Amino acid sequence: MATTPTSGGNFNWVAPVYDTLAFVVFGHKLQQAQVVFLDQIPAGANVLLVGGGTGWLLEQVLMRGNTKRIVYLEASRKMVALASRRMIQKSLLGSVDFRVGDETALSPDESFDVIITPFVLDLFTETTLKTQFIPQLLNVLKSTGLWLVTDFVQPPSWWQKVLLWIMIRFFRLTAGIEANRLANWQQCLFDADLALHKREHQVGGMVSAEVWVR
């Protein structure tokens, strides 16, 4: 079910060059961070992948071959087109439901063992995370479910802080994201009664890969 993109913005304009931009700035480091905890996905899991971009992470999940079904939820139609095309070109097998929309496109009767949000929480303000985004995703996460997060955190060095500031301004301009600074998404998850299970710092402390449990 398609919906009108909300405060997470819409990446249609930047979709064709998104992967190239990420590589120019970070090399393969962002990709490496996203796969750190994929081995935590249990066999036969129903997975919700939110904001999967051009489909690289979807490819990695499918290559592991242990999921039952994946719902790929992305607000950008162009990103969804790129992801579905990648799946065909790579001849990847798996049950994938491609959806154009945001978290409001989810039905209350859906249920997932694992939710994956790669570089998604940084698009929102803390208010939106607490009142809309996190509660709506928790509505479809099983009581024993896992939430795999890879995202930017407050970096340790001044040049990383400058880079993060530039990135937020860039995506406010090109994708219309609502965030004007990095939200403390870790505190938001904690306040939603989730518990941190695993954490690994990546990209020189600028990114954190984490597993949260209910």
Side-chain angles (χ1 to χ4, degrees), residues 25-26 28-33 119 150-152 155-156 159-160 163 200-208:
V25 178
F26 294 103
H28 293 295
K29 292 180 180 178
L30 297 187
Q31 292 181 335
Q32 293 167 356
F119 300 101
T150 309
D151 223 316
F152 292 102
W159 68 266
Q160 290 174 322
L163 177 58
E200 187 170 313
H201 295 295
Q202 298 283 315
V203 197
M206 196 174 184
V207 170
S208 187

Side-chain angles (χ1 to χ4, degrees), residues 64-75:
R64 282 159 172 78
N66 64 339
T67 56
K68 180 179 180 181
R69 175 173 172 264
I70 301 173
V71 171
Y72 177 93
L73 184 63
E74 168 63 57

